Structures are given as C-alpha cells and as structure tokens.
Amino acid sequence: MVGKIIGTGSYIPEQIWDNEKLSHMVDTNDEWIRERTGIARRHIAGEEETTAYMAAKAAETALQNAGMKAAEVDLIIAATISPGEIMPCTSCEVQKRIGAVNATCFDLNSACTGFLFALNTAQAYLGQEIYHTAVIIGAESLSHLTNWEDRGTCILFGDGAGAVVLKASPEGRYTQVTHSSGEKGSVLTCTSRNQPKYVENSRAPETYMQMDGKEVFKFAVSKVPEVIRELLEKTETDSGKIHRYILHQANERIVKSVAKRLGEEMEKFPVNIADYGNTSSASIPILLDELNRKGDFSQGDLLVLAGFGAGLSYGASLLEW
C-alpha cells in the first residue's frame, strides 16, 4: 500500500510586502534582492491569520479538491516551526476547525524539510494500513520569527500554508531517501523565547531566525543533487522519466544550481519563490497545489520532491501522481 495524493490545497495571506517596502526598513533594494534570491514579494499573515488558521484553510481546500469530507480523515500531520501555541498542537487545532473528528493528530518539526518528512511519515502509516486517509500540512508564520532589522534574513521569508490529502492504495509508487547532519546545525538556528534568560528580553537576536547564508547555500547545492541521484539509483529510475522536480523554494539560485548539477533543463524545476519567498515547510505543498490546479500533472507522472533545511536535514522522495 502507498499513499496517493488525491487532493491539494493552499492558503496565502492577503497582505503583501514587496521588496520596495523592505527597502524602507533595512538597507536593501529590489534589484539586490531579486539578483541574489529571485524573490520579489512575500505574504505576511495578519493578526487573525494564525498558523492554525492558515493550516486549516489549506486542509479544507485540499479536501474539497479531493472530493472528501473531513470526517473521512483518520490522520492529520502538521509540519511547522512557527505554531501560534505550544499546545494544543497545530494539527489538533486543524482537526477542531475542519471537523475531522475521527483523525489522530500530531505535529512534526523539521523546518524547511518538514513537509517532506511529514509526507514520509504518513506513507509509513498508510503503508502498514494503520491509517487509510491522511491530511499532510506545511504551515508557517515565519514573519513572527524574522528579525525585520536584519537585512541578511528578513528579505527571505514569508507566510503561508499548503496541504495534500493522501489515500491508501495498492497501486502507485513512493520511495524516500532522507538524511540529517546535526553537526552542521549551528548554521541555521532560532532559540525559544520561553527560556528563562530570554523572558526579560524576548527580542534578543537569538530568538529570531539566524542563518549563515553562505554555508546553507553550499550545503543545499551539494546535498540536494546528491540525494536526488541517490533516490534515482535506489529506485532504478532514469532521470528522463521524471516529469517535475518539486524543490523547497528557498532561493532561485539554489534551484538553478541543482538543475545544472543534475544536467536537467530548468523547465523541469518549477519555481514560485518570486511571489512567496521562503515559506519553509509550506513551500513544497504550495507549489504542488499551484501546479495541480494548473493541470500540470497527469496520472502516472513521476515527481521528485526534495527538501533541505535546519537540523541540518535533507531528503528526496519519488512518487507517482
């Protein structure tokens, strides 16, 4: 048994901050940001658009796309590093909001690799027939973790949510390869504001996302092609049979570098980072939903999903649409 994607959904906050707005906040400009990242604008969640709210909206649209009712879902996994509350977990809030009364719920934290790891986790449950229908969500309110005075990071991040519905099926393909490199974790960090030493100074730099951009870039352009090759070798799949490579949208230059190192044309690597920025665990499902609603996928298409992020962690999965 494998979990086949039968529906996709997403939610994007209404508020938009373009590069021109950021140029009035820090020493930067539109040309500089576009050249280095490919980002033109990002969406910023409003006061009512909490992580759980966005996650629930994405889940609802995914269920609508799948033609399913929330009561049919028996597993919800939400990937996020930016929940509005420590508890209850985001997935339980989603359950309450959408009425998925029969679902078991838990959250998963693996930063930008989160959605991919959550999808892998659900596949294991569905493969063992422990559950039969799952909603997998990536949702982030990264604007709350961003230091808007740090020009090196504030240009990168945005908010949003994406989701897929999985249905257990005896037909189809799904294979994963994942890795973690904990010894390199210090290059991308964010410390909890709940620690006693930060209670008096919740705006300490450590309580916002901090990143060694050069090291993260080097890691991504090296490890992502490597893990994709490992996946293709493991599954004995010729790269020519891959319809699309759906990569985490962190930086357009990273995507282009991965395509070049794999010897593939960029047309196989869809990019939407210009409109959303880096939405961490939400980026892959948002892109999947966009492509699905454009009719880009046909039954039987082979897709490679690949993510990388804090931890450091990285991985790739092969699935049949």
Side-chain angles (χ1 to χ4, degrees):
M1 301 290 285
V2 299
K4 298 199 73 171
I5 295 177
I6 61 170
T8 63
S10 60
Y11 179 85
I12 310 300
E14 294 182 6
Q15 183 178 194
I16 297 174
W17 287 10
D18 60 16
N19 293 341
E20 177 64 21
K21 179 177 178 62
L22 293 194
S23 72
H24 296 288
M25 300 167 62
V26 292
D27 182 19
T28 191
N29 59 67
D30 179 67
E31 181 181 3
W32 191 89
I33 297 172
R34 286 178 184 261
E35 179 182 339
R36 287 161 177 76
T37 69
I39 299 170
R41 62 195 67 84
R42 70 284 299 146
H43 293 252
I44 304 298
E47 186 175 347
E48 302 300 321
E49 293 173 313
T50 64
T51 301
Y53 175 88
M54 294 189 293
K57 289 295 185 182
E60 286 177 336
T61 58
L63 286 168
Q64 290 169 4
N65 185 242
M68 294 188 63
K69 297 180 179 179
E72 298 176 75
V73 177
D74 50 15
L75 175 65
I76 299 175
I77 305 177
T80 183
I81 60 168
S82 53
E85 300 174 324
I86 295 174
M87 54 184 180
C89 65
T90 299
S91 55
C92 281
E93 283 293 293
V94 170
Q95 180 200 39
K96 178 179 70 174
R97 288 171 183 265
I98 70 174
V101 294
N102 297 309
T104 296
C105 311
F106 63 90
D107 290 0
L108 186 152
N109 178 343
S110 193
C112 299
T113 326
F115 175 80
L116 187 67
F117 282 12
L119 186 64
N120 293 342
T121 302
Q123 290 288 347
Y125 280 118
L126 270 60
Q128 292 295 315
E129 300 186 64
I130 298 171
Y131 302 109
H132 304 284
T133 305
V135 173
I136 312 305
I137 308 163
E140 302 289 5
S141 301
L142 298 182
S143 57
H144 301 319
L145 302 179
T146 298
N147 183 350
W148 295 103
E149 298 177 355
D150 178 7
R151 72 188 291 265
T153 59
C154 75
I155 63 173
L156 300 173
F157 301 107
D159 302 335
V164 300
V165 179
L166 296 179
K167 185 76 171 179
S169 171
E171 300 178 349
R173 297 178 62 184
Y174 191 91
T175 307
Q176 59 180 320
V177 175
T178 57
H179 298 287
S180 296
S181 300
E183 73 280 0
K184 298 180 180 179
S186 62
V187 303
L188 185 50
T189 62
C190 184
T191 299
S192 171
R193 294 169 187 169
N194 296 310
Q195 292 191 37
K197 62 181 177 180
Y198 294 122
V199 170
E200 297 296 327
N201 183 19
S202 63
R203 292 185 57 83
E206 297 95 326
T207 66
Y208 294 100
M209 289 183 289
Q210 297 188 75
M211 180 174 68
D212 184 332
K214 290 183 178 179
E215 287 302 313
V216 172
F217 186 92
K218 286 165 55 179
F219 174 82
V221 300
S222 170
K223 293 301 184 180
V224 174
E226 180 182 297
V227 76
I228 290 175
R229 290 193 191 99
E230 183 181 353
L231 175 69
L232 295 177
E233 290 175 6
K234 179 179 179 179
T235 57
E236 298 182 346
T237 303
D238 186 283
S239 61
K241 295 182 179 180
I242 303 302
H243 175 63
R244 292 285 184 266
Y245 294 88
I246 313 296
L247 268 58
H248 163 52
Q249 304 289 290
N251 186 311
E252 188 175 20
R253 291 167 57 212
I254 291 176
V255 178
K256 288 180 176 179
S257 179
V258 171
K260 183 177 180 179
R261 292 189 180 212
L262 289 173
E264 295 276 20
E265 297 295 327
M266 266 302 293
E267 64 181 18
K268 283 192 172 185
F269 291 77
V271 176
N272 66 358
I273 192 171
D275 294 323
Y276 305 113
N278 180 345
T279 56
S280 189
S281 68
S283 75
I284 290 177
I286 288 174
L287 182 53
L288 273 173
D289 185 45
E290 283 193 349
L291 295 171
N292 181 35
R293 292 176 187 276
K294 290 177 182 177
D296 188 76
F297 306 139
S298 299
Q299 185 174 349
D301 281 346
L302 293 181
L303 310 179
V304 169
L305 312 184
F308 57 92
L312 294 171
S313 58
Y314 60 107
S317 298
L318 176 73
L319 65 88
E320 180 181 339
W321 190 257

